[in-house]
Amino acid sequence: MAIQKLKVGMAGLGRVGKLHATNFLHRTPRADLVAAFTPDQSELAWGKENLEPYGVTLYNNYLKMLEHPGLQAVAIGTATSVHAEETIQAIDKDLHVLCEKPLSTDVEVCRQVVRKAQSKPHLKVMCGFSRRFDESYRDAYEKASKGLIGRPAIVRSQTCDKLDPSGFYVEYAAWSGGVFVDMSVHDIDLTLWFFGDDSIPKSISAHGLRAVQPELAKYNDFDNAVGIIEFHNGKIAYYYCTRMMAHGQEDTTEVIGTEGKLTINGNPQKNFVNLYHNAGITREVPPNFMGRFGPAFVQESNEFTASCLYNTPLPINLNNAVKAVEIGAYLQEALVTGRQIRFDEGGKRIEQSQL
């Protein structure tokens, strides 16, 4: 008896797109990667070498890929600026969608995606927040849910990228939405997970500096930033994001409760090897987020596939993707203006926008 498989198309073959494509092709047994799209010639060359030999059809036009015979789902790993448009186009073709975060840097556009998805409830539309699929974060969440640290009261979380001196992140800042929307959106999503999706900000403030890339000033962005959110339920979140780590990727979270705390990745390391030598004890750390969260992306593709095939609930509520971007945008505004933003208990902003 033939095993039912989900026929998937991959949009975008950049760094994240390659990762998703490889996972759907080789590490998701119930999925069948049948098509891939990219307008970039170097990415197409990679596809010819790594995807075509396995029967994947390559396209340089996204809409044409959506017409691929038998296509059932699309994974979107293209530039953030087209995430929403491509998601809506796929939904219009009656296709399931796994979209990389964020849906958009514009909150209203994110809401448009949610409304479109709600108009076709039989489709599975998910925004991929990879840390929710990480084994360590899931273990921590399970322990918190069992009350092992009492009532979670403070989240202290950071997303820290290794320094890239090429200037990529300076140009990327033109459309990234800023460090909080691009980086801390993961930490914000974790906060909503541990504190509850109904958590409503009471105040938001942020500060930053340009320590190594002063050119970011032309985009009102920073290479280091700290944000603090006070919630109406009496809880606080503290975020740190940076693009100047010298040693590698360091994404760490602490959940501090009334009877203890949980730490995830408190001592970052690539593996369990420590080098003992005359300069001390050395351990390597992952060079980028793929080194830290590679297995989480595999779990993500498998759970998305299972949800599509068996019509089971998605592990992430799409509305959370909107809320994470909304909070990230407020943090970015507070960062740029230097002003605290406040909200009433219904979540309505008290002050007007200062941007």
Side-chain angles (χ1 to χ4, degrees):
M1 182 177 178
I3 299 176
Q4 182 185 7
K5 287 193 174 187
L6 183 74
K7 295 187 181 298
V8 180
M10 184 70 228
L13 293 176
R15 183 169 59 168
V16 176
K18 289 183 177 71
L19 180 63
H20 279 300
T22 301
N23 287 342
F24 276 111
L25 187 61
H26 299 298
R27 302 186 183 106
T28 311
R30 300 305 301 268
D32 187 8
L33 186 70
V34 297
F37 150 77
T38 176
D40 184 275
Q41 290 303 311
S42 63
E43 293 177 8
L44 281 172
W46 181 89
K48 287 182 180 296
E49 181 178 349
N50 295 279
L51 303 181
E52 266 193 349
Y54 296 94
V56 179
T57 303
L58 300 178
Y59 294 86
N60 61 9
N61 183 294
Y62 178 67
L63 294 178
K64 287 185 178 179
M65 187 193 74
L66 296 185
E67 299 290 344
H68 186 88
L71 192 67
Q72 296 170 290
V74 176
I76 297 175
T78 48
T80 299
S81 57
V82 294
H83 281 182
E85 177 184 1
E86 291 178 346
T87 297
I88 289 172
Q89 288 171 333
I91 293 172
D92 283 337
K93 291 292 185 181
D94 222 35
L95 300 172
H96 304 292
V97 183
L98 168 60
C99 181
E100 256 305 306
K101 67 83 191 170
L103 292 174
S104 171
T105 58
D106 186 306
V107 177
E108 183 51 42
V109 173
C110 289
R111 293 190 179 113
Q112 290 174 14
V113 174
V114 172
R115 289 194 290 269
K116 174 61 72 170
Q118 290 172 339
S119 72
K120 293 194 174 184
H122 63 288
L123 294 179
K124 303 297 180 180
V125 182
M126 186 174 88
C127 187
F129 284 95
S130 55
R131 296 182 199 183
R132 291 217 187 196
F133 299 89
D134 177 70
E135 183 178 350
S136 296
Y137 276 104
R138 285 190 165 182
D139 183 39
Y141 179 77
E142 183 70 18
K143 285 178 167 59
S145 298
K146 291 179 179 177
L148 299 186
I149 61 169
R151 178 178 58 85
I154 295 174
V155 163
R156 182 165 55 196
S157 197
Q158 66 181 47
T159 297
C160 299
D161 287 349
K162 186 175 182 178
L163 176 65
D164 180 355
S166 70
F168 167 78
Y169 282 116
V170 174
E171 298 308 314
Y172 178 57
W175 64 83
S176 71
V179 287
F180 282 118
V181 173
D182 181 52
M183 301 177 71
S184 294
V185 70
H186 282 293
D187 306 292
I188 297 166
D189 178 65
L190 290 172
T191 302
L192 296 174
W193 195 24
F194 281 92
F195 281 177
D197 297 341
D198 57 348
S199 298
I200 298 174
K202 181 179 180 181
S203 69
I204 293 177
S205 57
H207 302 276
L209 54 88
R210 302 177 186 100
V212 293
Q213 295 175 319
E215 303 89 349
L216 286 167
K218 64 182 177 181
Y219 298 118
N220 270 338
D221 206 7
F222 299 78
D223 52 32
N224 284 265
V226 171
I228 296 177
I229 302 178
E230 177 188 15
F231 292 92
H232 276 288
N233 56 13
K235 301 177 182 181
I236 293 175
Y238 166 97
Y239 306 126
Y240 170 50
C241 52
T242 180
R243 298 199 190 278
M244 72 171 193
M245 282 293 177
H247 58 280
Q249 192 81 12
E250 187 174 340
D251 301 334
T252 304
T253 301
E254 281 184 295
V255 183
I256 303 168
T258 55
E259 299 174 22
K261 77 170 183 176
L262 292 159
T263 300
I264 303 97
N265 204 38
N267 292 293
Q269 55 189 84
K270 180 179 178 180
N271 50 36
F272 297 110
V273 175
N274 289 318
L275 172 62
Y276 292 71
H277 54 123
N278 59 8
I281 303 173
T282 304
R283 67 176 185 272
E284 296 182 29
V285 300
N288 53 46
F289 71 93
M290 291 185 289
R292 169 64 182 89
F293 295 108
F297 280 90
V298 176
Q299 188 69 20
E300 180 182 305
S301 65
N302 277 275
E303 291 190 21
F304 172 74
T305 297
S307 182
C308 294
L309 288 174
Y310 307 122
N311 194 28
T312 54
L314 288 166
I316 301 178
N317 187 323
L318 192 61
N319 283 303
N320 277 3
V322 180
K323 194 167 185 178
V325 171
E326 184 175 33
I327 292 175
Y330 284 133
L331 279 163
Q332 195 71 22
E333 180 184 334
L335 175 63
V336 172
T337 64
R339 300 182 181 183
Q340 187 181 65
I341 304 172
R342 302 187 66 82
F343 306 84
D344 63 23
E345 292 186 0
K348 184 178 179 181
R349 182 175 177 155
I350 296 174
E351 299 92 354
Q352 293 299 311
S353 172
Q354 301 296 324
L355 286 181

